[in-house]
Amino acid sequence: MSATVIPVPPTVLLPVEGTDETFPVRRVYCVGRNYADHAIEMGHDPSREPPFFFQKNADNLLPAGRDFPFPSLSSNVHYEVECVVVLKSGGSDISVEDALDHVWGYAVGIDMTRRDMQDALKKMGRSWESAKAFEYSAPVSPLVPAARIGHPASGAIWLDVNGKRKQTGDLDQMIWKTAEIIAELSRLFTLAAGDVIMTGTPAGVGPIVSGDRIDCGVDGVATLSVNIT
């Protein structure tokens, strides 16, 4: 094997709850407007606009136990709690019926969003990467294998800021369910082991500031706590 001209970047590894094992990350996909009430609060009509997809980078993931540093160049950063799905295998044009066979496990995560920057980019008709795919923008809990908890189709998803409930919903309110998300993504991209999918957020998104504490969870899956610095 030939030598690399720079050091090989490290693989992003997510911890697995209750073990010393880790999950190597390949890509991170996110689903937009996948809860009707959130689509409405963002000014969209969920009956006419299907969910769409965007990406974060693997190294945007922030493992549990680390603080979230408030990003520069923004004064309005929002939390969005999401159920996270991780894949053990993939492919193209996966059927809905086979989709869950590719899931390794689940977690809870937060899609941190520079809302002021996103709003400005929307007005200019530009892509959202700088508002979504910035450093530490995806805090995520330790992963829990589907072999242990199954494939949750319902269960409360919630987020508190400084002990006050801000977001609450249920996984059964997702417009596109987990299997449908995987099938649709596989029509657009070739999915593979190591892929991470953030499945959308319920209503109640809002701002955080330095000094805040976020506690969130998906009942029956995982919980996550993050300090904002």
Side-chain angles (χ1 to χ4, degrees):
M1 180 181 294
S2 60
T4 60
V5 297
I6 60 170
V8 177
T11 301
V12 175
L13 301 172
L14 294 178
V16 175
E17 183 184 40
T19 77
D20 294 328
E21 296 177 319
T22 56
F23 180 91
V25 177
R26 175 178 175 262
R27 295 179 181 172
V28 181
Y29 298 99
C30 303
V31 185
R33 302 171 195 154
N34 199 29
Y35 287 74
D37 52 0
H38 174 59
I40 291 168
E41 79 173 345
M42 298 303 291
H44 303 279
D45 183 348
S47 67
R48 292 189 297 126
E49 294 186 8
F52 64 93
F53 305 102
F54 58 93
Q55 289 181 266
K56 290 179 183 276
N57 302 307
D59 60 1
N60 295 154
L61 293 167
L62 180 69
R66 296 176 58 184
D67 296 341
F68 171 77
F70 197 95
S72 60
L73 303 180
S74 285
S75 59
N76 186 21
V77 175
H78 281 201
Y79 52 78
E80 299 185 8
V81 65
E82 313 209 3
C83 184
V84 177
V85 180
V86 298
L87 302 186
K88 62 182 179 182
S89 57
S92 299
D93 297 317
I94 296 168
S95 69
V96 172
E97 293 75 19
D98 294 336
L100 294 183
D101 293 339
H102 297 278
V103 174
W104 185 89
Y106 296 87
V108 61
I110 308 171
D111 171 14
M112 294 293 196
T113 303
R114 288 166 157 164
R115 191 70 74 205
D116 47 1
M117 193 173 290
Q118 184 190 39
D119 289 345
L121 291 167
K122 284 180 179 179
K123 290 178 181 177
M124 292 185 286
R126 296 179 180 175
S127 62
W128 297 359
E129 275 83 358
S130 56
K132 289 287 192 178
F134 59 95
E135 268 50 61
Y136 316 114
S137 62
V140 62
S141 74
L143 307 182
V144 181
R148 186 191 311 170
I149 63 170
H151 298 287
S154 62
I157 179 171
W158 54 271
L159 181 143
D160 297 344
V161 178
N162 302 327
K164 296 182 179 179
R165 185 59 45 94
K166 298 294 185 177
Q167 286 188 272
T168 184
D170 195 285
L171 297 182
D172 66 10
Q173 297 169 341
M174 289 198 299
I175 299 170
W176 284 13
K177 311 306 182 186
T178 300
E180 295 169 325
I181 291 168
I182 294 169
E184 186 65 20
L185 268 174
S186 75
R187 295 174 58 198
L188 301 169
F189 307 95
T190 300
L191 301 180
D195 285 347
V196 174
I197 304 171
M198 303 185 74
T199 59
T201 193
V205 301
I208 43 92
V209 297
S210 295
D212 283 345
R213 175 186 170 92
I214 292 176
D215 296 288
C216 61
V218 176
D219 288 0
V221 177
T223 59
L224 174 67
S225 296
V226 182
N227 294 315
I228 313 303
T229 60

